[in-house]
């Protein structure tokens, strides 16, 4: 897959690069440091299934706004799926109005989304969204034409499944639809 395919597609994904962590002086000029800087991937690109769209012809790009969250910060996740095949394939989207009707172009990431999103803790313990039942909107199949792409977004505000309290500080993993994983650090302050 060519690395620049997604640049030609209009989408709101703001973090499409690998970002280096390190000290940056107030004037913004880069300064050499004696210790090596650690790179963290805020975006991942690969092939994967997208509902009925096969992994061999479906390119997926997933990005997050940050991997270290302090109290009050929200994790934002965005995705783009592109059909690189020669035939249309189906994906799930919410209906725009009362069913039956055209499917919405507004896609989401999460328990009722076009792409699944899960936060897990130690030993793959489900931290969010949990096992409670969800009241999802009416969903239906939409077609992703050859060469076309769709995008969507989701958020997590560091709360437990019932949304009443913040998860404990520590290390977690963000899993996106079984294809991508990002390490998360939840800070105590």
């Amino acid at each position: 897959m060519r690395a620049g395919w997604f640049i030609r597609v209009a989408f709101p994904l703001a973090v499409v690069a690998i970002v280096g962590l390190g000290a940056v002086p107030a004037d913004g000029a880069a300064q050499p440091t004696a210790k090596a800087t650690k790179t963290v991937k805020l975006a991942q690109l690969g092939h994967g299934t997208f509902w009925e769209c096969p992994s061999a012809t479906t390119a997926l790009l997933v990005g997050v706004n940050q991997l270290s969250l302090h109290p009050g910060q929200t994790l934002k996740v965005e995705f783009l799926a592109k059909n690189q095949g020669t035939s249309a394939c189906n994906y799930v989207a919410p209906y725009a109005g009362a069913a039956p009707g055209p499917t919405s172009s507004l896609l989401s990431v999460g328990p009722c989304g076009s792409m699944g999103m899960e936060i897990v803790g130690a030993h793959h313990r489900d931290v969010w969204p949990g096992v409670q039942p969800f009241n999802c909107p009416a969903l239906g199949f939409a077609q992703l034409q050859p060469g076309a792409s769709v995008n969507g977004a989701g958020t997590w505000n560091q709360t437990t499944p019932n949304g009443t309290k913040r998860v404990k500080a520590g290390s977690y993993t963000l899993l996106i639809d079984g294809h991508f994983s990002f390490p998360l650090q939840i800070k105590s302050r």
Side-chain angles (χ1 to χ4, degrees), residues 97-119:
T103 54
S104 170
S105 60
L106 181 63
L107 302 180
S108 64
V109 179
C112 296
S114 295
M115 286 193 85
M117 177 173 126
E118 182 181 18
I119 308 294

Side-chain angles (χ1 to χ4, degrees), residues 9-16 78-80 150-153:
V9 180
F11 64 95
L13 188 60
V15 289
V16 189
E78 297 185 55
F79 80 89
L80 178 113
V150 293
N151 62 310

Side-chain angles (χ1 to χ4, degrees), residues 10-168:
F11 64 95
L13 188 60
V15 289
V16 189
I18 297 173
V19 177
L21 297 178
V24 178
D27 67 1
Q31 299 290 323
T33 60
K35 60 182 179 180
T37 58
K38 180 181 177 184
T39 59
V40 177
K41 291 183 181 184
L42 294 176
Q44 295 179 25
L45 177 65
H47 279 90
T49 54
F50 183 61
W51 291 93
E52 293 181 352
C53 299
S55 63
T57 58
T58 307
L60 300 172
L61 173 66
V62 176
V64 297
N65 63 329
Q66 58 193 339
L67 296 173
S68 182
L69 298 164
H70 295 276
Q73 292 180 321
T74 299
L75 175 68
K76 295 176 185 169
V77 179
E78 297 185 55
F79 80 89
L80 178 113
K82 180 175 178 146
N83 182 352
Q84 295 180 317
T86 57
S87 59
C89 56
N90 292 327
Y91 67 95
V92 169
Y95 281 102
T103 54
S104 170
S105 60
L106 181 63
L107 302 180
S108 64
V109 179
C112 296
S114 295
M115 286 193 85
M117 177 173 126
E118 182 181 18
I119 308 294
V120 295
H123 309 292
H124 272 292
R125 186 179 59 84
D126 186 350
V127 174
W128 186 91
V131 295
Q132 75 274 9
F134 295 96
N135 186 11
C136 296
L139 300 171
F141 278 118
Q143 281 202 333
L144 186 57
Q145 297 298 321
S149 61
V150 293
N151 62 310
T155 61
W156 178 55
N157 61 1
Q158 303 181 49
T159 58
T160 57
N162 61 13
T164 59
K165 64 180 181 174
R166 182 175 182 255
V167 296
K168 293 178 182 178

